[in-house]
């Protein structure tokens, strides 16, 4: 009997629409790194999703490359996992088209992200924005993923992925694995520093002090934390009516591997100034080595090129198998 037990497949992707925030890092990327021992992980740079809103082409190309470099700098190994750029694997567009024909306008109209984004980009409500969840379904289903770590905002898209897969399987037999959502044991929900009632977002351009980007200058990171909104009772305590302090406790816990409660106990009786300094030091201690590694890796153009090329080949091999199955089922000559 083979000693090798097949590991479950984890699939996730991130859009290269900005430098990841501390929220993306603590809520997603740090977990991705920790999953690589126990799962077969496939992580993509979702640049095809990114063009559903207007991008500067030169910047998009750079951000795509920077994001894959950052994955590696964080410690997500390109040897032990598959890291690739979505547009490098043509099967995504091809399966997405097929799945478009198995998805209803009504289902897509109910997607809250579509409603939000069409309100935000009223001058560019394009068909890609509407069928965005179908492309995401293609991403996931191509790799027969068992588990998909996604945040709250993507949960509805995972649901529709399951619905589309089940519909297709009901018609044609077992073509796609039905994926489950994956909620990691740890995984902090980090809020904005200036508006701690809303999630920290990497594409928040209204107020730069609200978000820490993980490639921000180290001093700037410390200053943003020191300027974070708090309240006036000077007590470091978790409480729904103390969103600013609670958020800083969550951040501190997430970077030091403690629970927010443990963090709270550690800072009992500490004033806000001293507390913020400790949070800033902890965040800097976590981020600085990643930045150093990012700089080193970015300088090695040939290495990053080879990672991108190898990743695309490994991904395409798996994706094409599933694509061929689906093409055969719908009656394409294969
Ligand atoms: N839409 C996701 C986001 O913006 C990114 C994404 C694209 C994704 N394809 C995916 C996430 C497949 C999980 C699985 O966050």
């Amino acid at each position: 009997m083979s000693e090798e037990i097949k590991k479950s497949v984890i699939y996730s992707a991130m859009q290269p629409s900005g430098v990841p925030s501390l929220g993306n890092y603590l809520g997603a990327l740090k977990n991705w790194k920790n999953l690589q021992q126990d799962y077969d992980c496939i992580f993509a740079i979702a640049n095809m999703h990114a063009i559903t809103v207007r991008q500067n082409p030169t910047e998009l190309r750079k951000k795509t490359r920077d994001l894959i470099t950052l994955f590696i700098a964080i410690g997500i190994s390109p040897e032990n996992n598959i890291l690739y750029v979505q547009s490098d694997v043509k099967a995504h567009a091809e399966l997405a088209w097929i799945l478009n024909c198995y998805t209803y306008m009504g289902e897509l109209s109910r997607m809250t992200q579509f409603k939000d984004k069409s309100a935000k980009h009223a001058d560019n409500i394009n068909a890609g924005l509407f069928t965005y969840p179908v492309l995401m379904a293609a991403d996931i289903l191509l790799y027969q993923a068992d588990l998909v770590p996604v945040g709250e905002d993507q949960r509805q898209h995972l649901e529709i992925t399951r619905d589309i897969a089940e519909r297709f399987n009901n018609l044609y037999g077992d073509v796609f694995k039905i994926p489950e959502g994956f909620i990691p044991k740890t995984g902090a929900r980090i809020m904005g520093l200036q508006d701690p009632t809303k999630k920290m977002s990497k594409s928040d351009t209204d107020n730069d002090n609200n978000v820490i980007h993980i490639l921000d200058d180290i001093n700037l990171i410390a200053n943003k934390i020191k300027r974070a909104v708090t309240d006036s009772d000077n007590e470091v305590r978790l409480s729904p009516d103390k969103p600013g302090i609670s958020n800083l406790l969550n951040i501190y816990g997430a970077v030091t591997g403690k629970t927010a409660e443990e963090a709270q106990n550690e800072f009992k009786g500490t004033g806000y100034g001293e507390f913020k300094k400790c949070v800033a030091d902890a965040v800097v201690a976590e981020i600085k080595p990643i930045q150093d590694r990012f700089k080193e890796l970015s300088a090695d153009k040939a290495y990053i090129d080879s990672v991108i090329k190898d990743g695309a080949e490994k991904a395409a091999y798996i994706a094409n198998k599933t694509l061929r199955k689906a093409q055969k089922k719908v009656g394409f000559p294969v």
Side-chain angles (χ1 to χ4, degrees), residues 203-219:
S203 36
D204 185 350
T205 44
D206 298 344
N207 181 353
D208 200 49
N209 280 326
N210 198 38
V211 32
I212 291 175
H213 297 281
I214 70 175
L215 297 175
D216 279 349
D217 180 82
I218 288 298
N219 295 319

Side-chain angles (χ1 to χ4, degrees), residues 11-15 46 49 86 113 117 132 135-137 139-140 148-150 153-154 157:
Y11 186 94
S12 201
M14 190 174 274
Q15 292 193 44
H49 282 100
Q86 187 185 29
Q113 183 176 293
K117 286 201 181 170
Y132 175 117
L135 177 60
M136 186 161 154
D139 296 346
I140 297 166
V148 182
V150 284
D153 60 328
Q154 297 297 315
H157 294 162

